[in-house]
Amino acid sequence: MIRLEKRPQPSQAWTAGSPLLAVLLTMIVGGLLFAFLGADPFETIRTIFWDPIFGEFAFYYRGQLLVKAGPLILIAIGLSIGFKAGVWNIGAEGQYIMGAICGAGAGLALYPSESVLIFPVMVIAGALGGWLWAMIPAVLKTRFGTNEILVSLMLVYVAQNILISVSTGLLRNPDGMGFPGSRNFKQWDAAHNAELIAGTGMHWGVVAAFIAVIGAYVLMSRHITGFNIRLTGEAPRAARFAGVNPARIVFFCLGLAGLLAGVAGLFEVTGPAGQISGAFNAGYGFTAIIVAFLGRLHPIGILLAGLLMALTYIGGEAAQTTMQLPGAAIQLFQGMLLFFLLATDVFTNFRLRFGTKGVA
Amino acid sequence: MDTPLLSISGLTKAYPGVVANDDVSFDIKPGEIHALLGENGAGKSTLVKMIYGLVTPDKGEMRMNGAPFAPGKPSEARQSGVAMVFQHFSLFDALDVAENVALGMENPPPMRDLARQIREVSETYGLPLDPSRTVGTLSAGERQRVEIIRCLLQDPRLLIMDEPTSVLTPQEVDILFQTLNKLRSEGTSILYISHKLEEIRALCDHATVLRLGKNVGTCTPSQRTAREMAEMMVGNSFAAPEARAKALGEILLSVKGLTLPAPGSFGTPLRGISFDVRAGEVLGLGGVAGNGQDELLAAISGERLSDGGSITLKGEDVSRKGPTERREAGLLSGPEERLGHAAAPDMSLIENGVLTAARRMGLLSNGFIGWGKARSFAEEVIERFDVRTPGPGTAARALSGGNLQKFVVGREIVQAPDVLIVNQPTWGVDAAAAAFIRQSILDLAAKGSAVVVISQDLDELMEVSDRFGALNEGRLSQIRDVAGLDIEQIGLMMGGASDMEVAHGAA
């Protein structure tokens, strides 16, 4: 008989090792999946994981890596802090959209000014937009005890509808000959979030992501606020005993996550995406949930997980074009990563016992 | 009387890193009450679980009436006539008594017959209980009766009782003992697990003492003093708390008309609680569990805020201040539940030190935690309170109950509070650790702190307190000096006798 037995202490080895094992298992099962689809599994895995960094077209893909990883890391850092506290913000996608809309809107209101203050104003407006959108589940939760998972998730669809509405209405490019979508920020220097070093994909959003990683690390490991957040997540009654106000933790966590997601949206819309359009959001807000867990809710882990996840995006696209694999197979591949991570994660706190219940 | 009812020989059970039972042998005769004594972690629970079929022994054998007895699961043990009343009840609050009893039976009879049987058994054994009452409305003592009746309906030959009196008032204990004596006279054997030595001396025919998993001797409790038995349990003699010099100072904590609604549907409201505690004094608050102990602690620690003016600390109204501010002002507290309330299970002892000591011990600068200082603080607590742990980085949940209790009580005492309130400071702690914690509380008071000890252990309260009061349904009885109190008066105070006329008459 196989039993799970709780470990007296969480295992250090499994804490570090389970993400690696999960990646390995994903490769194996994913490879099998690709084999069933008629593709060479080794070829496919190499296309996804190896070629973007070391292959023939790596010079193009490497830049893409940071472009994709930046928003993922930025959002995942915000989410991870909430998850540590047991505040389950599933609506980062909505906060990301609203940040982009508010930031872009603030900039477009000042078009065509070339002031150096334009971009900072847009960043602040983007942060506020995401923050405000996250305050809705926070207020409802603390006032009326609603579930933040449902409220934040449903607000994603509201945000998507607002996005479609403004891209065909309020923020539509007056010079766009009726096409939906806002003005293109790439053609407006003061508001363009350009590459900082050509060819690297490094833009202000990536810089912000690195700052967020460091900030989160300091907050969670050194500051009493981070301590209180962890305490709230691990033992809510002990947190209350320690003097932590649970409502303030909810506001802080949702607010911070919303703020970071909003900023990520703004950097995306003014940089890689270029304009507000109905299909501007690419699901970063949801993928960031996987990134947060894959990175063990630890800032450094999230940095690595964000890069890995970006790799599967880029490699997945490459596999779609060069190997004609369906896009859904790639999404399944990403989902498997979270699945295996959660499965292997069990062994951090539990161990297997192959004991037969002997008869005396 | 030649064949024992249950004969245990050489039972051994090892868990990773610890031998819970090591070659334990003893006999239980038909119609005797046999006590199983031992400190926490001595292996009592494991032994009982083996008898009840929950755990399979590694070695050794059991014989029931001479025939081999190796229950693989509880239902097999029940078929052989073994029944068990657990310390923690497994009852459904929303169902009535008869329904709860039926749920524990293999083939329950029709409800009407069952209700009749319950009534019969409850009358025969003097356990008053109405089968149609909803369990949620019953007191702890009445709930225990449901469990006992559930067992008695199986007509057991051996009844195992795990610390049955820990939740009962002295009067309820009397009723229980009458029932147990009646069962004994009818030939039922009882295996009685308890910490309370006086109780065992009064009730039990024989006692088997376990220490570190080994049987260290069987004795006849009525011929031994409680101290002798305690020494068998502990191995070395433990220090009985010393008497202290009485020099009471000014009032440090004053509670006036403290009233709070119940925190949830199963909580207890606080109703007009008033008391003062002076410097150098220990106030003991007794009462059966669930009569407002947790709620009172939460109100004084600051977890729940009460009306302005209801709690005064050193002349300053703190009733609208949270736990952090109260700690800074010198009011510290220790809740009953160690894991999850007093300490975060998965956090290290260093982090659990920060939990209450962050500001008072200056572990913070500009909101940043000085982990070096935090480690020193945890190490100080570990050293002064003899907490057995590999180091301060160990997770709280990896400590045994007694060691963690020493840590969480020590954590508050090391901070030198002006006022300390603790709930069940020695709950589930072995005798040596309990004596140590009590002595620390007395020492703290001797240094001029005011201490409030909430406990369900009357012996403990008599030992540490200068004055005594009892909680009943969220009300506090009159507070009286411990000197001159007898068990009868205490029972009345705990039972909520609103006027103390009877007690005065008896005194």
Side-chain angles (χ1 to χ4, degrees), chain B residues 226-309:
Chain B
R227 192 172 175 92
E228 281 171 344
M229 285 196 288
E231 280 173 12
M232 282 175 83
M233 259 164 68
V234 181
N236 50 8
S237 49
F238 60 89
E242 335 170 326
R244 53 237 111 111
K246 293 279 115 234
L248 295 188
E250 60 195 308
I251 294 175
L252 290 184
L253 176 71
S254 172
V255 176
K256 274 197 192 64
L258 173 61
T259 298
L260 266 183
S265 46
F266 288 106
T268 309
L270 297 178
R271 300 178 165 109
I273 288 182
S274 299
F275 61 85
D276 292 334
V277 207
R278 290 173 177 279
E281 179 184 45
V282 179
L283 171 66
L285 297 182
V288 175
N291 274 297
Q293 286 92 338
D294 289 348
E295 290 80 2
L296 178 61
L297 185 112
I300 294 181
S301 73
E303 284 173 78
R304 289 181 75 206
L305 303 182
S306 51
D307 291 340

Side-chain angles (χ1 to χ4, degrees), chain A residues 59 61 100 112 141 147 155 251 277 315 317:
Chain A
F59 63 88
Y61 287 126
K141 182 181 174 69
N147 183 323
L155 282 170
F251 275 108
S277 69
E317 271 171 37

Side-chain angles (χ1 to χ4, degrees), chain B residues 22-185:
Chain B
D22 187 2
D23 195 21
V24 174
S25 310
F26 65 94
D27 290 344
I28 301 173
K29 298 196 184 73
E32 74 160 344
I33 301 182
H34 194 109
L36 192 55
L37 258 174
E39 293 188 284
N40 276 86
K44 299 182 306 262
S45 306
T46 308
L47 183 63
V48 165
K49 281 178 184 166
M50 289 193 284
I51 300 174
Y52 196 56
L54 285 164
V55 170
T56 313
D58 297 337
K59 256 193 280 178
E61 64 161 6
M62 294 182 278
R63 289 181 165 271
M64 177 77 93
N65 280 330
F69 172 64
K73 49 184 186 228
S75 59
E76 288 174 30
R78 283 199 291 269
Q79 274 163 18
S80 312
V82 179
M84 180 159 175
V85 177
F86 288 91
Q87 194 177 0
H88 301 285
F89 308 140
S90 44
L91 297 174
F92 294 92
D93 281 345
L95 300 180
D96 71 27
V97 169
E99 286 165 336
N100 264 292
V101 170
L103 276 174
M105 300 176 90
E106 244 104 291
N107 299 304
M111 244 351 139
R112 210 178 323 133
D113 295 353
L114 186 62
R116 188 177 45 76
Q117 286 178 20
I118 291 173
R119 228 173 254 122
E120 277 172 18
V121 172
S122 77
E123 278 164 24
T124 317
Y125 293 99
L127 294 169
L129 194 63
D130 177 358
S132 60
R133 285 266 302 275
T134 307
V135 166
T137 66
L138 300 182
S139 73
E142 288 170 315
R143 285 169 197 234
Q144 188 183 54
R145 283 176 208 160
V146 180
E147 294 272 9
I148 295 174
I149 284 172
R150 183 193 268 176
C151 290
L152 293 184
L153 284 172
Q154 303 162 19
D155 212 4
R157 287 184 289 172
L158 175 64
L159 179 63
I160 304 172
M161 304 202 78
D162 191 0
E163 307 217 6
T165 58
S166 55
V167 292
L168 303 183
T169 62
Q171 280 80 357
E172 285 175 322
V173 170
D174 282 346
I175 295 176
L176 175 69
F177 283 8
Q178 283 164 22
T179 306
L180 296 183
N181 279 321
K182 186 165 171 61
L183 280 167
R184 162 165 60 184
S185 67

Side-chain angles (χ1 to χ4, degrees), chain B residues 197-212:
Chain B
L197 302 167
E198 288 301 338
E199 228 173 76
I200 286 173
R201 289 188 58 217
L203 183 71
C204 300
D205 303 306
H206 290 97
T208 294
V209 183
L210 291 184
R211 182 165 82 226
L212 300 174

Side-chain angles (χ1 to χ4, degrees), chain A residues 7 221-222 224 230 241 358, chain B residues 56 327 351 367 369 371 397:
Chain A
R7 293 177 193 271
S221 65
R222 302 299 304 270
I224 189 74
R230 285 192 288 134
F241 171 63
Chain B
T56 313
R327 278 193 192 107
E351 290 170 307
I369 302 167
W371 285 114
R397 75 161 194 242

Side-chain angles (χ1 to χ4, degrees), chain B residues 465-486:
Chain B
S465 316
D466 303 304
R467 291 188 301 147
F468 174 83
L471 283 164
N472 186 279
E473 292 181 356
R475 288 189 190 84
L476 184 62
S477 73
Q478 193 190 340
I479 291 176
R480 314 182 77 197
D481 283 338
V482 165
L485 269 187
D486 64 36

